[in-house]
Amino acid sequence: MRKEIIPVTKSSLPDLERYLETIKPIWENHWMTNKGEIHQKFSEQLIEKMKVPYVSLFVNGHMALEMALQSLELEGEVITTPFTFASTTHAIVRNGLTPVFCDVDPYTYTIDVNKIESLITEKTCAIVPVHVYGTLCDVEAIEEIAKKYDLKVIYDAAHAFNVTYKNINVANFGDMSMFSFHATKVFNSIEGGAITFSEKKYQKKLERLKNFGIKDEETVDFIGANAKMNEFQAAMGLCNLPNLEEEIQKRAKIVEQYNMHLSDIPGIQLKVKQVNVKENYSYYPIVINSKKIRITRNEIFQGLKEEGILARKYFYPMTNEYECYKEKFGGQKTPIAKKISESVFTLPLYANLSLESVDRISQTLLNIIK
Ligand SMILES: *Cc1c(COP(=O)(O)O)cnc(C)c1O
């Protein structure tokens, strides 16, 4: 008998009737994009959910991050990490800024706050840290450094929707935070993204930048692009939002089940548990210690694949080793990020993954590394 293939992720979909009901008004008003009623409603619900002063919606997370950086009129060097998705580094470089790669902490995989200050020069204008896998960066230390050197902080919070620290939603840290509502994320609007911020002065500019920089019919005052979220995306977000807490609960059970099998196994490092943090259980990363396990990450990945279990080498390679960056920025050494990216993989995790599947995945993994 062929074993059922288990994908690494599976997009959440709302009840079809509910979605149809939500998009139905479009067939009367013909308003499909450019901030219609559904967009407006989704935006309001996000403000309420994230308890943040301002939200600006985008067609995807990447364009949101690009425009967040553009809106701040930055110039020079941006301190960031290479242990992330392509988007983070691309957004910096596509704004004409120079990424300066800081190494990551060996346990949280987020920016190592003890290494930031030594990278600051008079050209440094901002820090772009990443809440990798939904693990919170050291937001307090980062804020302190940013204040001391007058730097902007823009968080890549693509993985961290609904995460809270001391009961504060993660959307409230830094000058701005970017969220991705891509189909593969914990919460989706098909594709989609948002910038959250607390200062009103950024609002107008972000709204204009995503609509070609247009102020009114005869005035274009910014070099914008087109990055608006459309009504069908907003409708998907609106319909998925009420299911979010339940889905996170299901994910929590799955993670608990994985932990039951995989905690205390010599040579494998699981995601850290952070105090005062309410998680969103977005990913289940495993880092292999090759001194304790004599099998490589790639062999494990392949072994799982042969059993129909699709893991993901997330994030490998590091962005400073990409073909497009290694010549220019590869000289900056980030040995811990490198080691992690060469020994990490994420296991399947999505709300409807059955606990039996988790048992099968865990047993298969344990057999491979035995
Ligand atoms: C998904 C993701 C993005 C980009 O979001 P999109 O909505 O796919 O454009 C940026 N950064 C990280 C870390 C991500 O995982």
Coordinates of all heavy atoms in Angstrom, one line a residue, residues 286 288 295-302 313-316 340-345:
I286 N 13.8 21.9 13.2 CA 14.7 21.0 13.9 C 16.1 21.3 13.5 O 16.3 21.4 12.3 CB 14.3 19.6 13.7 CG1 13.0 19.2 14.3 CG2 15.4 18.6 14.2 CD1 12.6 17.8 14.2
I288 N 19.9 19.9 13.6 CA 20.7 18.7 13.9 C 22.1 19.1 14.4 O 22.7 19.9 13.9 CB 20.9 17.9 12.6 CG1 19.5 17.5 12.0 CG2 21.8 16.7 12.8 CD1 18.8 16.5 12.9
I295 N 24.4 11.5 10.9 CA 23.7 11.5 9.6 C 23.5 13.0 9.3 O 23.3 13.8 10.2 CB 22.4 10.7 9.7 CG1 21.6 10.7 8.4 CG2 21.5 11.2 10.8 CD1 20.5 9.6 8.4
T296 N 23.6 13.4 8.1 CA 23.5 14.8 7.7 C 22.0 15.2 7.6 O 21.1 14.4 7.4 CB 24.1 15.1 6.4 OG1 23.4 14.4 5.3 CG2 25.6 14.7 6.4
R297 N 21.8 16.5 7.6 CA 20.5 17.1 7.4 C 19.9 16.6 6.1 O 18.7 16.2 6.0 CB 20.5 18.6 7.5 CG 19.2 19.3 7.3 CD 18.8 19.7 5.9 NE 19.9 20.4 5.2 CZ 20.0 21.7 5.1 NH1 19.2 22.5 5.8 NH2 21.0 22.2 4.4
N298 N 20.7 16.7 5.0 CA 20.3 16.3 3.7 C 19.8 14.8 3.6 O 18.9 14.5 2.9 CB 21.3 16.6 2.6 CG 21.4 18.1 2.4 OD1 20.7 18.9 3.0 ND2 22.4 18.5 1.6
E299 N 20.6 14.0 4.4 CA 20.2 12.5 4.4 C 18.8 12.3 5.1 O 18.0 11.5 4.7 CB 21.3 11.7 5.1 CG 22.5 11.5 4.2 CD 23.7 11.1 4.9 OE1 23.8 11.2 6.1 OE2 24.7 10.5 4.2
I300 N 18.7 13.1 6.2 CA 17.4 13.0 6.9 C 16.2 13.5 6.0 O 15.2 12.9 5.9 CB 17.4 13.9 8.2 CG1 18.4 13.3 9.2 CG2 16.0 13.9 8.8 CD1 18.7 14.1 10.4
F301 N 16.5 14.6 5.3 CA 15.5 15.2 4.4 C 15.1 14.2 3.4 O 13.9 14.0 3.1 CB 16.1 16.5 3.8 CG 15.3 17.2 2.8 CD1 14.3 18.1 3.2 CD2 15.4 16.9 1.4 CE1 13.5 18.7 2.2 CE2 14.6 17.5 0.5 CZ 13.7 18.4 0.9
Q302 N 16.1 13.6 2.8 CA 15.9 12.6 1.7 C 15.1 11.3 2.3 O 14.2 10.8 1.7 CB 17.2 12.2 1.1 CG 17.1 11.5 -0.2 CD 16.3 12.3 -1.2 OE1 16.3 13.5 -1.3 NE2 15.6 11.6 -2.1
K313 N 13.9 22.6 3.7 CA 15.2 23.2 4.2 C 15.0 24.7 4.3 O 15.3 25.4 3.4 CB 16.3 22.8 3.2 CG 16.6 21.4 3.1 CD 17.7 21.1 2.1 CE 17.7 19.7 1.6 NZ 18.6 19.5 0.5
Y314 N 14.4 25.1 5.4 CA 13.9 26.4 5.6 C 14.7 27.0 6.8 O 14.5 26.6 7.9 CB 12.5 26.4 5.9 CG 11.6 27.6 5.7 CD1 11.6 28.3 4.5 CD2 10.8 28.0 6.8 CE1 10.8 29.4 4.4 CE2 10.0 29.1 6.7 CZ 10.0 29.8 5.5 OH 9.2 30.9 5.4
F315 N 15.7 27.8 6.7 CA 16.2 28.5 5.5 C 17.5 28.1 5.0 O 18.5 28.2 5.8 CB 16.3 30.0 5.7 CG 15.0 30.7 6.2 CD1 14.8 30.9 7.5 CD2 14.1 31.0 5.3 CE1 13.6 31.5 7.9 CE2 12.9 31.6 5.7 CZ 12.7 31.8 7.0
Y316 N 17.6 27.6 3.8 CA 18.9 27.2 3.2 C 18.8 27.5 1.7 O 17.8 27.1 1.1 CB 19.1 25.7 3.5 CG 20.4 25.2 2.7 CD1 21.6 25.4 3.3 CD2 20.2 24.6 1.5 CE1 22.7 25.0 2.6 CE2 21.4 24.2 0.8 CZ 22.6 24.4 1.3 OH 23.7 24.0 0.6
I340 N 23.5 26.8 11.2 CA 22.1 26.5 11.4 C 21.5 26.2 10.0 O 20.7 25.2 9.9 CB 21.4 27.6 12.1 CG1 21.9 27.7 13.6 CG2 19.9 27.4 12.1 CD1 21.6 29.0 14.3
S341 N 21.7 27.1 9.1 CA 21.1 26.9 7.8 C 21.5 25.6 7.1 O 20.7 25.0 6.4 CB 21.4 28.1 6.8 OG 22.5 27.9 6.1
E342 N 22.7 25.1 7.5 CA 23.1 23.8 6.9 C 22.6 22.6 7.7 O 22.8 21.4 7.3 CB 24.7 23.8 6.9 CG 25.2 24.6 5.7 CD 26.7 24.9 5.7 OE1 27.3 24.5 6.7 OE2 27.1 25.5 4.8
S343 N 22.0 22.9 8.9 CA 21.6 21.7 9.7 C 20.1 21.8 10.1 O 19.6 21.0 11.0 CB 22.5 21.6 10.9 OG 22.6 22.8 11.6
V344 N 19.4 22.7 9.5 CA 18.0 22.9 9.9 C 17.0 22.3 8.8 O 17.3 22.3 7.6 CB 17.6 24.4 10.1 CG1 17.6 25.2 8.8 CG2 16.3 24.5 10.9
F345 N 15.9 21.9 9.3 CA 14.7 21.6 8.4 C 13.5 21.8 9.2 O 13.5 21.7 10.4 CB 14.8 20.2 7.8 CG 14.8 19.1 8.8 CD1 13.7 18.4 9.2 CD2 16.0 18.7 9.4 CE1 13.7 17.4 10.1 CE2 16.1 17.6 10.3 CZ 14.9 17.0 10.7

